[in-house]
Amino acid sequence: MTTEPERAPPSTEVSPQQSEASPDAHHPLMHFRVFEQLKQRNVIRVAVLYLVVSWLVLDPVHVIFHMLDVPSWANRLVVMLMAVGFPAAVIFAWVYEITPEGLKPTVEVPHGQSIRKLTGRRLDRAIIAVLAVALAYFVVDKFWISKHYSASPAAGSIAQDTASPATAPPVTAAALAPPPRSVAVLPFVDMCEKKDQEYFADGMTEEIINLLAKVPDLRVPARTSSFYFRGKSTKVPDIARELGVAHILEGSIRRSGSQIRVTAQLVRADNGYHLWSQTYDRDLHDVFKVQDEIANAVVQGLQISLMGGPLTRQK
């Protein structure tokens, strides 16, 4: 009687191909676990709430800064602080958790005592409330405030046009004309291909304003007032009327290698015609020295057009 040959026991050895799992095999699972952790720790809710609150803060701050004539760098500083605070808020939400006893590191909170779900519901309500406020502000700003301010100048213009000579106060052209010896220096435009010379252009503009401000009997608006028109397509007569000057000095910066070219132009505000224009080429070996040289040359170039003779500056 023959018996079946004994079957070999199943091999428990694992081939090298099976033992080496592909690094990409766990990526979907790992990504899913990270996403689940972000949801459980309310990190996503905190990020959304932070972004909405930041937008709701930045827009009114920009309007207030504009009303108070705050320098433009203050707006950039607020944006930078908001940007730096975002990763800090996200990391804080990941590391810490709110408990009945206060803030504690997430790793120290037992799973059974966690109130993450309750905190998540509170964050959801906060997000909805902030979104509602943001939407209400957007509607009020776009459909009421903007129309109100645009309608006010029109109403004032109509009232002046329809006012009778008996009730309207007599206004002479001399009362409205700006001082003939007045000039506003607009920010010089960076016309370089890489747009990396704005700091040089701003320094040049400030140096010229500083030198012109020392000239007796010459009216020069402050830097903040002039820099308000940076990047705006406002016509020269409108800028001059806003700043109360008779002349506008504008210019541009171009660079090729170590050579810098500065062009300055003096424009008469009432007709937009050029009174004076000059181009200066310098080797950009010392930024401050080049700015001083060109600024002095520009100021001296205005001597005949504005003052009728050499400029004498106060020390």
Side-chain angles (χ1 to χ4, degrees):
M1 182 176 181
T2 59
T3 61
E4 285 185 350
E6 286 186 336
R7 296 182 178 179
S11 175
T12 58
E13 295 183 0
V14 180
S15 65
Q17 291 82 358
Q18 295 175 341
S19 62
E20 295 180 1
S22 173
D24 297 333
H26 300 290
H27 280 186
L29 182 59
M30 182 180 66
H31 293 164
F32 178 75
R33 289 178 178 176
V34 171
F35 182 74
E36 283 297 317
Q37 284 293 317
L38 291 174
K39 287 179 59 179
Q40 291 178 6
R41 301 191 183 196
N42 296 312
V43 175
I44 298 177
R45 291 183 174 92
V46 171
V48 173
L49 182 61
Y50 186 93
L51 292 175
V52 177
V53 171
S54 297
W55 178 86
L56 193 59
V57 170
L58 286 175
D59 196 75
V61 165
H62 174 72
V63 175
I64 294 174
F65 279 12
H66 174 66
M67 293 173 57
L68 298 179
D69 207 12
V70 177
S72 58
W73 61 262
N75 276 315
R76 292 194 291 268
L77 178 61
V78 175
V79 174
M80 290 175 60
L81 292 176
M82 292 288 186
V84 172
F86 178 75
V90 171
I91 294 173
F92 187 86
W94 174 270
V95 175
Y96 290 95
E97 180 178 336
I98 298 177
T99 67
E101 293 79 20
L103 284 175
K104 288 185 178 181
T106 303
V107 295
E108 298 180 5
V109 180
H111 182 71
Q113 300 179 7
S114 176
I115 58 171
R116 295 175 184 173
K117 293 184 178 180
L118 177 60
T119 304
R121 289 194 293 269
R122 292 175 177 173
L123 288 172
D124 288 339
R125 289 195 291 267
I127 292 173
I128 294 173
V130 174
L131 283 174
V133 174
L135 180 61
Y137 173 78
F138 176 81
V139 172
V140 172
D141 178 57
K142 298 301 179 183
F143 297 98
W144 185 78
I145 297 180
S146 300
K147 291 184 177 180
H148 176 74
Y149 280 104
S150 61
S152 295
S157 177
I158 295 174
Q160 290 180 355
D161 293 340
T162 57
S164 61
T167 58
V171 179
T172 61
L176 297 177
R181 293 183 175 183
S182 57
V183 58
V185 185
L186 299 184
F188 277 43
V189 180
D190 178 15
M191 299 182 65
C192 300
E193 183 179 357
K194 297 182 179 179
K195 301 296 182 183
D196 57 348
Q197 295 299 314
E198 184 175 343
Y199 75 97
F200 182 88
D202 290 350
M204 176 67 59
T205 307
E206 290 195 18
E207 191 64 29
I208 294 174
I209 293 175
N210 180 53
L211 293 178
L212 290 176
K214 296 178 181 180
V215 178
D217 301 326
L218 181 62
R219 179 177 175 179
V220 184
R223 170 196 177 278
T224 305
S225 302
S226 298
F227 273 64
Y228 170 75
F229 296 96
R230 180 207 294 274
K232 297 186 177 181
S233 57
T234 310
K235 295 181 179 180
V236 168
D238 296 333
I239 297 176
R241 189 181 308 110
E242 184 74 17
L243 298 178
V245 295
H247 304 87
I248 295 293
L249 180 68
E250 56 185 4
S252 62
I253 304 291
R254 287 174 288 175
R255 180 176 180 178
S256 176
S258 62
Q259 294 292 318
I260 195 81
R261 170 169 291 183
V262 178
T263 301
Q265 301 172 343
L266 181 67
V267 181
R268 184 170 173 175
D270 56 358
N271 55 24
Y273 291 149
H274 286 76
L275 297 178
W276 170 85
S277 178
Q278 187 63 45
T279 299
Y280 306 92
D281 293 327
R282 295 291 189 277
D283 186 7
L284 199 60
H285 57 280
D286 187 337
V287 173
F288 297 121
K289 185 177 180 180
V290 172
Q291 288 177 341
D292 291 341
E293 289 179 358
I294 298 179
N296 278 283
V298 170
V299 172
Q300 291 301 323
L302 302 180
Q303 56 185 348
I304 297 178
S305 298
L306 291 179
M307 309 298 291
L311 296 178
T312 57
R313 298 194 297 273
Q314 296 175 344
K315 301 284 187 175

